[in-house]
Amino acid sequence: MAQPNHEPMAGAGDVLGTYLRSQATAFLRAMRLCAQSAAGGPGGDAADGTEAARSLRGAARRISGSLATFRGVTESAWADGLRTELVWLSSTLADEHAYASRLARLMDALHRLSGSCEVPAQRGTAGALTVGSARAGALLERQLTLARARAHSATLQALGSARFHAVADAVAVLASEVPLDPVAARGQVEEVLVPLAAVAETRLSAAVAALPAAAGAHPYDAAHDGLWHEVRRLLRVHRYAREALGGEVTRPALAGEALDRQRDAAEAAAASATAARTPRIAPATAYALGVLHADQRHEAEAARYDFRRIWLPASAVASGARDVRERGHAEVTGG
């Protein structure tokens, strides 16, 4: 593991405490902006509310990830309780944004595919995809808009709950004082924090090694989504550990963006497959949803290749690049 940048002979408690307090402050600031947006306060438009919610989720994830990685440096019972609540909060807040982003992704893909001359009409019937895509879009919009409305209600309920206010109170305490283990906190960064961050990196490496081989014989398989989502989670924890230690995070951030795209495309493919199982839909609608499903499967596979290109040695990914492109084209065009 590359050595992070920090002050020589820095105390583990000082370094971790500084990072956690900064993230707690960011959490509280974003929480106030969320409240202003919800109340229609100054500058509280929809864009500000979306950005505030994103910042709130990011701060919650950084705190919970750091408490998991560096648990031994904190009061463990306190860390475990707060981490559980922050995971609940960030997951709840993420749902509404996820449904909105998924709908936008699928609508953009339908528009792109229906306007492409590369995609043949069903059984040679001109305009089958164009007609089907309009109906498929309407179906997806109904389903995902309903899901988003339910998630929005759940978010409002969560933000007004006693549970959320208890989390906010705990983070407010964290912003001023971090409950640390008195013995571990006195250790030096190199002796305490760096080995714990290395454990997080080792777990990530093991998860990456468990991914299916990047060979042309192994196309996108939804059964592997869980493995990829776990790598995404562990990569995020690894990145936050490096952030806390002042290390370089450009490469983990780029790899994380690829895994975000992979997750988004995989979930969009699942949404299109779910819509295709709607009873009594027209054949043209089912056809358009099938094309959309194949397109998003290809997008997920391409993002997986991008992650490997960023994160792994070149020799580990070069053999699969051409197969990814060619298979993706064949799936979308029906070849």
Side-chain angles (χ1 to χ4, degrees), residues 111-129:
H111 178 74
R112 168 171 50 82
L113 292 168
S114 62
S116 172
C117 61
E118 296 180 357
V119 182
Q122 185 184 28
R123 298 177 181 174
T125 302
L129 182 59

Side-chain angles (χ1 to χ4, degrees), residues 234-276:
L234 291 173
L235 176 61
R236 197 162 57 194
V237 171
H238 166 65
R239 176 160 62 94
Y240 297 158
R242 290 191 62 81
E243 277 185 7
L245 298 180
E248 174 60 48
V249 296
T250 301
R251 180 165 163 261
L254 290 173
E257 289 174 1
L259 290 179
D260 287 346
R261 296 197 305 273
Q262 188 279 147
R263 186 273 316 268
D264 292 345
E267 293 184 345
S272 62
T274 297

Side-chain angles (χ1 to χ4, degrees), residues 32-46 48-49 156:
R32 287 193 295 270
L33 293 175
C34 280
Q36 290 176 5
S37 176
D45 59 20
D48 289 340
L156 293 179

Side-chain angles (χ1 to χ4, degrees), residues 57-219:
R57 295 196 307 271
R61 289 195 303 264
R62 282 170 168 81
I63 296 170
S64 62
S66 299
L67 292 179
T69 301
F70 303 114
R71 178 178 182 271
V73 188
T74 65
E75 291 183 3
S76 58
W78 164 83
D80 292 345
L82 181 56
R83 186 175 74 246
T84 298
E85 294 305 283
L86 289 172
V87 169
W88 159 75
L89 178 63
S90 60
S91 175
T92 300
L93 295 178
D95 285 346
E96 181 182 358
H97 170 75
Y99 285 122
S101 297
R102 196 169 307 150
L103 179 59
R105 166 184 275 271
L106 289 169
M107 294 301 101
D108 288 345
L110 277 173
H111 178 74
R112 168 171 50 82
L113 292 168
S114 62
S116 172
C117 61
E118 296 180 357
V119 182
Q122 185 184 28
R123 298 177 181 174
T125 302
L129 182 59
T130 300
V131 173
S133 65
R135 294 174 178 173
L139 176 59
L140 287 167
E141 186 168 11
R142 286 197 302 272
Q143 292 182 346
L144 292 176
T145 298
L146 177 60
R148 181 186 180 186
R150 289 172 176 167
H152 179 70
S153 296
T155 296
L156 293 179
Q157 184 177 4
L159 292 177
S161 67
R163 185 178 184 181
F164 171 73
H165 289 293
V167 175
D169 289 343
V171 174
V173 172
L174 180 62
S176 60
E177 181 181 1
V178 179
L180 297 170
D181 178 272
V183 176
R186 286 199 299 268
Q188 301 302 309
V189 170
E190 291 81 0
E191 300 170 350
V192 178
L193 298 185
V194 170
L196 292 174
V199 171
E201 187 174 17
T202 298
R203 289 172 178 163
L204 169 62
S205 297
V208 172
L211 292 172
H218 298 278

